[in-house]
Amino acid sequence: VWYVLAAHVLVAVAVFWGARDNEFVWDDPIVFQQQLPYFDSFNNVFFPPKGIPQFGENYYRPLIIVTYQLDEKIAAALWPLEKREEARRIVYHTTPVLWHAAATVLVFLLGMVLTRMVRQEGLGGAAGPDGAAGPAGFAGLAGSATAGLLFAVHPILTELVALMAGRSDVVCAVFFFGSVLLYLVHRATQNLAWLLAAAAAALGAMLSKETGVGVLLLVPLIDWMTVPGT
């Protein structure tokens, strides 16, 4: 499993590695030059001021602004001032690639957890002592790996990962998948701490992009689909 997980990281990073030195194009200059200067304080991040150029009034994505601010700090810390523009181009474009790799890993892990739950409910073959041995365990590993690798290389994600301003979807995906995974761990352990962590991740998904609210629909659906006899 660890080897397969590492392969997911390598594939997700490799397929988008060429984007790390992209120019700022399309929406990138609008965000970078016209919008980010307005977010110069904690208050402005979570309570955006009026009059931000081309800033959607129906959008509320403060965690995305936080990722931009972290990128700026990394660029300032690791490159000298005279190379700051080059540093920004590299850092601001590398970050979405790393978020994408994290989302890919979570897709794989989510598949592993779901297939193991199905086997434990008696809907699949018997698992070995480690939960992954035997034909059913191998099938679960193969299916989860296929889903993760398909997610890693799917062309629909190109614009979201290769553009600086497209990161909201991949950041949301990390929190979204993480929330579902943490909830399933809570369901298996009945530990309240995991449930609270799942709720925090769900909030992170919703603060990254509006579609993150879908986690509130997906979790009950998974519950219903994995109850014995349904």
Side-chain angles (χ1 to χ4, degrees), residues 114-204:
L114 286 171
T115 53
R116 183 171 181 174
M117 286 175 59
V118 169
R119 294 200 306 275
Q120 289 176 340
E121 298 294 351
L123 303 178
D130 62 353
F138 178 78
L141 176 63
S144 301
T146 300
L149 292 173
L150 179 62
F151 180 86
V153 302
H154 204 292
I156 199 173
L157 300 174
T158 301
E159 186 174 317
L160 309 179
V161 182
L163 294 179
M164 180 200 85
R167 68 178 64 190
S168 57
D169 287 274
V170 287
V171 175
C172 178
V174 170
F175 286 106
F176 192 105
F177 296 143
S179 177
V180 176
L181 189 60
L182 289 166
Y183 173 74
L184 293 177
V185 174
H186 156 72
R187 208 178 87 166
T189 63
Q190 295 301 305
N191 188 324
L192 180 60
W194 291 112
L195 181 61
L196 295 176
L203 179 62

Side-chain angles (χ1 to χ4, degrees), residues 47-224:
F47 303 97
K50 300 292 185 181
I52 301 177
Q54 302 186 54
F55 189 75
E57 294 184 358
N58 295 323
Y59 289 175
Y60 187 67
R61 304 173 182 178
L63 283 192
I64 301 304
I65 304 301
V66 171
T67 67
Y68 289 137
Q69 293 177 331
L70 291 175
D71 286 352
E72 185 65 25
K73 290 184 180 298
I74 292 172
L78 300 182
W79 278 266
L81 183 60
E82 60 270 17
K83 294 186 177 181
R84 187 63 50 80
E85 292 306 313
E86 176 188 358
R88 285 170 172 161
R89 190 173 68 248
I90 293 173
V91 174
Y92 278 77
H93 284 103
T94 300
T95 297
V97 177
L98 299 179
W99 281 101
H100 172 60
T104 298
V105 167
L106 288 171
V107 170
F108 167 65
L109 293 177
L110 190 55
M112 290 292 292
V113 170
L114 286 171
T115 53
R116 183 171 181 174
M117 286 175 59
V118 169
R119 294 200 306 275
Q120 289 176 340
E121 298 294 351
L123 303 178
D130 62 353
F138 178 78
L141 176 63
S144 301
T146 300
L149 292 173
L150 179 62
F151 180 86
V153 302
H154 204 292
I156 199 173
L157 300 174
T158 301
E159 186 174 317
L160 309 179
V161 182
L163 294 179
M164 180 200 85
R167 68 178 64 190
S168 57
D169 287 274
V170 287
V171 175
C172 178
V174 170
F175 286 106
F176 192 105
F177 296 143
S179 177
V180 176
L181 189 60
L182 289 166
Y183 173 74
L184 293 177
V185 174
H186 156 72
R187 208 178 87 166
T189 63
Q190 295 301 305
N191 188 324
L192 180 60
W194 291 112
L195 181 61
L196 295 176
L203 179 62
M206 289 181 274
L207 293 180
S208 299
K209 191 171 183 179
E210 298 74 23
T211 50
V213 73
V215 72
L216 302 180
L217 302 176
L218 182 60
V219 166
L221 180 62
I222 291 176
D223 261 346
W224 174 74

